[in-house]
């Protein structure tokens, strides 16, 4: 029933957005496409006081004219020295191969081929209100993973507990508290250069939920053995900029 209600609600919103776009002669897009970059647009960039340039829903797509669009440029100072970060594009020795596997850095996007304008890769999802890399290390796609761990809540007898009103089983999931925002989040992080998805999932899970970095060598081996079970292999986040987004690979 909930799914049906949500589906109907989405359909109604699709219609209203389609009508609005037709009146403004903008390309018609689905509700899901219009809502992209919702978390990052029209907000203050994380860990700064920098305000993004306002981007209305209908002007997210690059193909929609927005002559007033003048987003601020921001590149965190940490990017100048961080070993995981690309050099600045002004560095003559830096020649990234966009839309391809560039050495051990994957600059291909799961959104398909993205445009490169003025030597800069453009966020294929649309405008975000901010130019530059923000705190993201790579020019082009910044690949990341989330690890979703869940279980049915059970009582002391091992029976699945149910909601008193709906009668539906209660699902528990593993979450962490972010150091930067204090918000609950799914454990995960960036895929390192040369690292595959499974390796990144296991490393991030160990680091963020099992106190791996402070564990003894013996305990580390035990933890590594514990999570060898197969991990099944983008979510849009607040760090995204016009150059370029993070896309997550979900795991469960």
């Amino acid at each position: 029933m909930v799914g049906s209600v949500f589906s109907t609600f989405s359909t109604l919103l699709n219609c209203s957005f389609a009508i609005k776009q037709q009146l403004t002669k903008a390309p018609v897009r689905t509700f899901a496409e219009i809502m992209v970059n919702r978390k990052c647009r029209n907000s203050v960039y994380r860990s700064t006081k920098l305000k993004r340039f306002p981007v209305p829903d209908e002007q997210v797509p690059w193909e929609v004219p927005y002559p007033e669009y003048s987003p601020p440029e921001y590149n965190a100072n940490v990017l100048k020295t961080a070993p995981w970060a690309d050099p600045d594009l002004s560095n003559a020795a830096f020649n990234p191969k966009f839309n391809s596997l560039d050495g051990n850095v994957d600059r291909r996007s799961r959104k398909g081929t993205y445009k490169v304008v003025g030597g800069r890769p453009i966020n294929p999802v649309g405008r975000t209100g901010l130019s530059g890399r923000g705190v993201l290390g790579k020019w082009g796609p910044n690949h990341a993973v989330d690890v979703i761990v869940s279980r049915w809540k059970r009582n002391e007898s091992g029976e699945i507990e149910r909601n008193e009103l709906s009668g539906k089983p209660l699902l528990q999931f593993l979450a962490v508290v972010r150091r930067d925002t204090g918000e609950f989040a799914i454990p995960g992080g960036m895929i390192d250069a040369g690292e595959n998805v499974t390796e990144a999932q296991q490393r991030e899970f160990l680091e963020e939920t099992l106190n791996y970095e402070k564990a003894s060598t013996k305990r580390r081996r035990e933890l590594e053995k514990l999570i060898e079970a197969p991990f099944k292999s983008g979510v849009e986040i607040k760090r995204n900029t016009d150059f370029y987004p993070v896309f997550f690979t979900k795991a469960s």
Side-chain angles (χ1 to χ4, degrees):
M1 182 62 182
V2 174
S4 299
V5 172
F6 179 78
S7 177
T8 303
F9 177 66
S10 297
T11 302
L12 290 174
L13 285 174
N14 283 341
C15 292
S16 64
F17 274 116
I19 293 171
K20 183 175 182 180
Q21 288 177 313
Q22 287 173 346
L23 292 175
T24 59
K25 297 183 179 181
V28 177
R29 294 198 166 202
T30 65
F31 173 66
E33 290 173 319
I34 286 294
M35 296 303 285
V36 295
N37 287 341
R38 169 65 69 177
K39 289 183 180 179
C40 62
R41 283 187 290 124
N42 310 323
S43 63
V44 175
Y45 193 71
R46 54 167 285 182
S47 303
T48 74
K49 296 181 180 180
L50 183 64
K51 292 184 178 180
R52 293 174 181 265
F53 194 90
V55 182
D57 291 339
E58 63 272 16
Q59 289 177 302
V60 170
W62 292 108
E63 59 266 30
V64 177
Y66 192 4
E68 302 86 5
Y69 187 59
S70 181
E73 174 95 7
Y74 177 65
N75 296 285
N77 287 330
V78 67
L79 301 181
K80 297 177 181 179
T81 57
W84 41 264
D86 284 339
D88 191 79
L89 288 173
S90 62
N91 188 329
F94 179 54
N95 297 294
K97 298 178 176 61
F98 295 122
N99 287 301
S100 64
L101 186 60
D102 186 9
N104 63 355
V105 177
D106 191 354
R107 301 191 191 277
R108 298 169 296 184
S109 172
R110 290 179 174 82
K111 289 288 185 179
T113 301
Y114 51 88
K115 295 181 180 179
V116 179
V117 179
R120 288 186 165 197
I122 301 299
N123 188 328
V125 178
R127 299 181 177 95
T128 67
L130 184 67
S131 180
R133 280 183 289 171
V135 297
L136 301 176
K138 305 300 180 187
W139 290 102
N142 286 259
H143 299 292
V145 293
D146 274 342
V147 182
I148 301 175
V149 179
S150 63
R151 69 179 183 185
W152 296 117
K153 185 178 181 181
R154 298 177 183 272
N155 58 27
E156 294 180 355
S157 301
E159 299 172 330
I160 295 177
E161 295 188 15
R162 295 180 177 275
N163 182 279
E164 294 180 358
L165 297 177
S166 68
K168 293 183 177 180
L170 298 175
L171 186 69
Q172 296 177 313
F173 68 93
L174 184 66
V176 297
V177 178
R178 295 187 61 92
R179 293 192 184 97
D180 54 353
T181 64
E183 298 174 330
F184 282 105
I186 300 297
M190 298 295 179
I191 300 176
D192 290 342
E195 191 175 44
N196 63 41
V197 171
T198 300
E199 292 169 343
Q201 290 168 351
Q202 293 176 334
R203 175 181 54 76
E204 289 291 345
F205 187 75
L206 286 168
E207 293 175 356
E208 296 197 359
T209 67
L210 296 174
N211 207 25
Y212 181 80
E213 294 176 329
K214 295 182 179 180
S216 65
T217 301
K218 179 181 178 181
R219 181 55 178 162
R220 287 189 177 192
R221 300 294 85 81
E222 293 173 348
L223 293 174
E224 290 166 2
K225 185 70 175 178
L226 182 66
I227 65 165
E228 280 183 353
F231 281 78
K232 296 179 182 178
S233 303
V235 200
E236 177 254 329
I237 63 172
K238 295 180 180 179
R239 283 170 282 177
N240 284 358
T241 72
D242 291 350
F243 314 98
Y244 193 91
V246 174
F247 289 112
F248 283 100
T249 298
K250 294 183 179 180
S252 58

